[in-house]
């Protein structure tokens, strides 16, 4: 995508359940820090050496440029939003959210008052007021790849034309349901 | 008045149709009539963000969705 600089924050290590729905490699990356494994994967694939922070983002550094939030809790999103809202150094925030087969992707212009108000409504509630994480349903590859595709679509459309793709919400049917359809 | 409600949960999506005696009702009343839980849900009426107090009129589709938060 032509990105010359990329900073990734994540305090987590690669677990078995991450392997089927991501680019992490079973034989190389299991139990490694996600950011370190990702740096190696991106370097091999593109030549870009990304900047990594093996910690959760909680406002400890100012954010600039496009920001993509792929986090697990509403509180983590709120921490990102506090650093992004009305921040003139951030041109776009993209937030992906999944719960089993439900997918939301927000594309927010942080300094657009209407956009910020819309996102305020969708980030104001806590983790307990959102769908709980279901054991064994942590991730589903078609969902993860669809979310990643929407992030890429949002970013490339924004960079190439300055047009922000609208917020996106959908239920992604399972393959079984798709086969049953006429 | 007939109201079409799309319900999106984490395990599936369904469409419910409910008859409301009046020509308009609040979203909370519509959901109650359709037997839909409104706890910790996100709502739209006629494609716009809504609350349980939002008026639902004729030919205004309703969507009730769970709130995903995973990565």
């Amino acid at each position: 995508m032509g990105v010359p600089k990329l900073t990734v924050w994540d305090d987590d290590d690669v677990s078995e359940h991450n392997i089927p729905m991501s680019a992490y490699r079973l034989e190389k990356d299991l139990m490694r820090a996600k950011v370190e494994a990702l740096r190696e994967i991106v370097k091999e694939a593109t030549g870009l050496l990304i900047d990594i922070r093996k910690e959760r983002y909680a406002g400890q550094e100012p954010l600039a440029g496009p920001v993509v939030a792929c986090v697990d809790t509403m509180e983590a999103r709120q921490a990102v939003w506090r650093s992004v809202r009305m921040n003139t150094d951030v041109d776009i925030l993209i937030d992906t959210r999944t719960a089993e087969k439900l997918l939301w992707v927000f594309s927010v212009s942080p300094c657009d008052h209407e956009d910020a108000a819309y996102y305020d409504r969708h980030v104001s509630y806590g983790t307990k007021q959102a769908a709980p994480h279901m054991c064994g349903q942590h991730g589903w590859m078609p969902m993860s790849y669809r979310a990643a595709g929407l992030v890429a679509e949002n970013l490339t459309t924004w960079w190439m034309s300055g047009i922000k793709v609208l917020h996106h919400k959908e239920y992604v049917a399972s393959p079984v349901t798709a086969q049953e359809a006429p | 008045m007939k109201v079409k409600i799309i319900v999106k949960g984490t395990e599936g999506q369904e469409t419910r149709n409910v008859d409301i005696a009046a020509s308009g009702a609040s979203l909370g009343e519509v959901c109650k009539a359709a037997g839909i839980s409104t706890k910790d849900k996100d709502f739209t009426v006629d494609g716009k963000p809504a609350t349980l107090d939002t008026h639902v009129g004729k030919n205004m589709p309703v969507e009730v969705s769970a709130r995903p938060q995973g990565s």
Side-chain angles (χ1 to χ4, degrees), chain A residues 72 77 98 100 129 131 169, chain B residues 10-12 42 67 69-71:
Chain A
D72 283 330
R77 288 185 177 86
T98 66
E100 298 187 41
Q129 283 75 52
K169 297 179 181 179
Chain B
T10 58
E11 295 178 335
D42 192 74
R67 296 165 166 169
Q69 65 170 323
S71 58

Side-chain angles (χ1 to χ4, degrees), chain A residues 151-162:
Chain A
V151 170
E153 180 187 358
N154 271 284
L155 287 175
T156 52
T157 304
W158 175 251
W159 289 331
M160 292 173 70
S161 65

Side-chain angles (χ1 to χ4, degrees), chain A residues 12 17-18 21 34 56 70-77 95-102 125-140 143, chain B residues 10-11 40 66-71:
Chain A
D12 204 4
H17 67 259
N18 297 129
M21 59 178 184
K34 285 181 176 176
R56 286 179 180 232
C70 305
V71 298
D72 283 330
T73 68
M74 296 308 300
E75 288 74 18
R77 288 185 177 86
D95 169 14
T96 65
R97 305 183 189 183
T98 66
E100 298 187 41
K101 293 168 185 172
L102 198 57
Y125 49 84
T127 289
K128 289 182 179 175
Q129 283 75 52
H133 297 297
M134 303 301 288
C135 184
Q137 300 287 340
H138 184 86
W140 188 49
M143 180 68 79
Chain B
T10 58
E11 295 178 335
D40 301 334
R67 296 165 166 169
Q69 65 170 323
S71 58

